[in-house]
């Protein structure tokens, strides 16, 4: 039995990912049972994984695949709650999740301060990674929306198998569209892509670290929106939740 989780950057995803995910799951299922772990279903790549799983289940009702939703222990009392409630709150369609697992209760400042909920969520996500054998990660190095340092560290230490999901044509598109950035957007973006830290950039450009951080993230987000718009124009963009809900209810898939 293999455990796999799907995670990645949140802005967009391409339709071609659906085929790649099906290939990954088909290969794993040929060797035994599979558990797919999710901490909510709130990113396009997660929506795509669920769509593929539901399509495969429809084609083969005996498919040995289990969908697991990780529940935040600070939000839900698993002893008293009807499981339909957290399933819906975590953006899953009713009946998709087979099993709910409560993450451990962490003891730290983040767990006692509502303003630090992001740190708390990162702890749960890291714990989920540690339970899995494989992480299928949708990520472009040229569009670093989120940090994947912890995942890459686990991979280098041999703790997990890492499968990166991306498309070569999109890589070329990002590279091309990055040339359209101007002024500070271009400077901050290209420095960051070269590997400069925010502190190194601040010292070199004589700008505060907070401003460098903010402006760099804005430049990356701007480039992401440009790429997303072009993918949509080309008909390659995956239309994510909530349209997924209606497609699956009507038995329609993206591919």
């Amino acid at each position: 039995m293999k455990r796999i989780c799907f995670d990645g950057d949140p802005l967009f995803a391409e339709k071609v990912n659906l085929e790649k995910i099906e290939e990954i799951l088909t290969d794993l299922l040929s060797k035994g049972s599979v558990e797919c772990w999710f901490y909510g279903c709130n990113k396009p790549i997660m929506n795509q994984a669920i769509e593929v799983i539901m399509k495969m289940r429809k084609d083969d009702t005996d498919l040995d695949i289990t969908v697991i939703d990780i529940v935040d222990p600070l939000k839900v009392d698993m002893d008293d709650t009807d499981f339909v409630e957290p399933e819906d709150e975590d953006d899953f369609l009713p009946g998709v999740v087979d099993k709910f697992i409560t993450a451990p209760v962490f003891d730290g400042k983040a767990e006692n301060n509502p303003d630090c909920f992001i740190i708390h969520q990162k702890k749960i996500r890291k714990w989920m990674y540690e339970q899995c054998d494989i992480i299928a990660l949708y990520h472009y190095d040229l569009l670093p929306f989120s940090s994947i340092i912890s995942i890459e560290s686990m991979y280098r230490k041999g703790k997990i198998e890492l499968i990166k999901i991306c498309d070569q044509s999109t890589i070329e598109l990002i590279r091309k569209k990055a040339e359209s950035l101007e002024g500070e957007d271009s400077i901050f973006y290209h420095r960051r892509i070269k590997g400069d830290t925010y502190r190194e950039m601040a010292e070199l450009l004589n700008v505060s670290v907070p401003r460098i951080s903010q402006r760099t993230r804005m430049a990356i987000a701007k480039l992401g929106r440009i790429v997303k718009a072009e993918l949509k124009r080309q008909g390659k963009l995956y239309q994510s939740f909530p349209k997924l809900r209606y497609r699956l209810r009507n038995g329609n898939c993206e591919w």
Side-chain angles (χ1 to χ4, degrees):
M1 187 269 289
K2 291 290 186 181
R3 293 175 174 175
I4 182 172
C5 70
F6 295 86
D7 207 343
D9 294 320
L11 184 59
F12 59 78
E14 302 92 303
K15 292 179 181 179
V16 69
N17 291 349
L18 295 164
E19 297 176 5
K20 296 177 181 179
I21 292 170
E22 185 169 15
E23 289 175 2
I24 292 169
L25 293 177
T26 299
D27 179 63
L28 291 176
L29 286 165
S30 69
K31 303 168 185 175
S33 60
V34 176
E35 288 184 354
C36 296
W37 288 48
F38 295 85
Y39 176 34
C41 188
N42 48 25
K43 295 179 181 179
I45 191 65
M46 297 172 181
N47 276 239
Q48 289 185 308
I50 290 298
E51 180 163 348
V52 171
I53 291 168
M54 293 187 73
K55 172 183 177 293
M56 295 175 72
R57 281 176 167 175
K58 183 179 180 181
D59 294 340
D60 182 358
T61 56
D62 295 324
L63 206 66
D64 195 1
I65 190 168
T66 304
V67 175
I68 294 174
D69 181 24
I70 305 303
V71 180
D72 186 338
L74 300 183
K75 293 184 177 180
V76 178
D77 184 347
M78 291 299 289
D79 293 330
D80 300 332
T81 302
D82 179 353
F83 287 158
V84 172
E85 184 177 342
E87 184 176 36
D88 183 63
E89 289 181 354
D90 288 346
D91 295 324
F92 289 97
L93 285 167
V96 171
V97 177
D98 301 299
K99 185 178 180 181
F100 295 87
I101 295 179
T102 310
V105 178
F106 300 102
D107 185 18
K109 293 181 180 180
E111 284 63 47
N112 297 295
N113 186 347
D115 294 333
C116 299
F117 70 95
I118 293 178
I119 296 175
H120 171 68
Q121 291 177 339
K122 286 182 178 179
K123 290 182 181 180
I124 294 178
R125 193 170 292 109
K126 184 175 184 295
W127 174 83
M128 179 183 68
Y129 295 155
E130 292 170 345
Q131 312 312 306
C132 293
D133 305 293
I134 304 163
I135 298 177
L137 181 69
Y138 175 71
H139 176 78
Y140 286 99
D141 291 337
L142 294 176
L143 274 180
F145 289 109
S146 57
S147 173
I148 61 171
I149 294 175
S150 62
I151 295 176
E152 292 181 327
S153 176
M154 291 176 65
Y155 170 68
R156 287 193 298 268
K157 293 176 181 178
K159 293 183 178 180
I160 52 100
E161 177 184 347
L162 179 59
I163 301 176
K164 287 192 175 183
I165 299 176
C166 60
D167 186 67
Q168 186 59 43
S169 64
T170 302
I171 293 175
E172 297 303 322
L173 175 61
I174 296 170
R175 186 174 287 115
K176 178 180 178 180
K177 293 300 182 180
E179 297 176 0
S180 67
L181 295 177
E182 300 177 342
E184 287 188 343
D185 287 340
S186 178
I187 294 171
F188 294 161
Y189 169 77
H190 285 99
R191 285 272 174 200
R192 187 61 171 167
I193 293 302
K194 288 180 180 178
D196 289 359
T197 65
Y198 290 137
R199 185 168 299 279
E200 289 171 338
M201 292 165 65
E203 292 175 354
L204 179 66
L205 301 172
N206 195 29
V207 181
S208 70
V209 173
R211 174 169 171 75
I212 285 286
S213 174
Q214 180 187 43
R215 290 293 289 110
T216 302
R217 290 196 301 269
M218 290 173 62
I220 293 172
K222 179 178 181 179
L223 178 57
R225 291 191 295 271
I226 293 172
V227 172
K228 181 179 180 179
E230 180 60 21
L231 289 172
K232 183 176 182 179
R233 189 191 70 79
Q234 294 179 5
K236 296 180 179 181
L237 185 69
Y238 174 78
Q239 297 297 317
S240 190
F241 186 86
K243 292 187 178 182
L244 172 65
R245 182 182 298 270
Y246 305 120
R247 286 204 307 274
L248 297 184
R249 279 179 175 171
N250 296 324
N252 299 322
C253 294
E254 276 281 343
W255 81 109

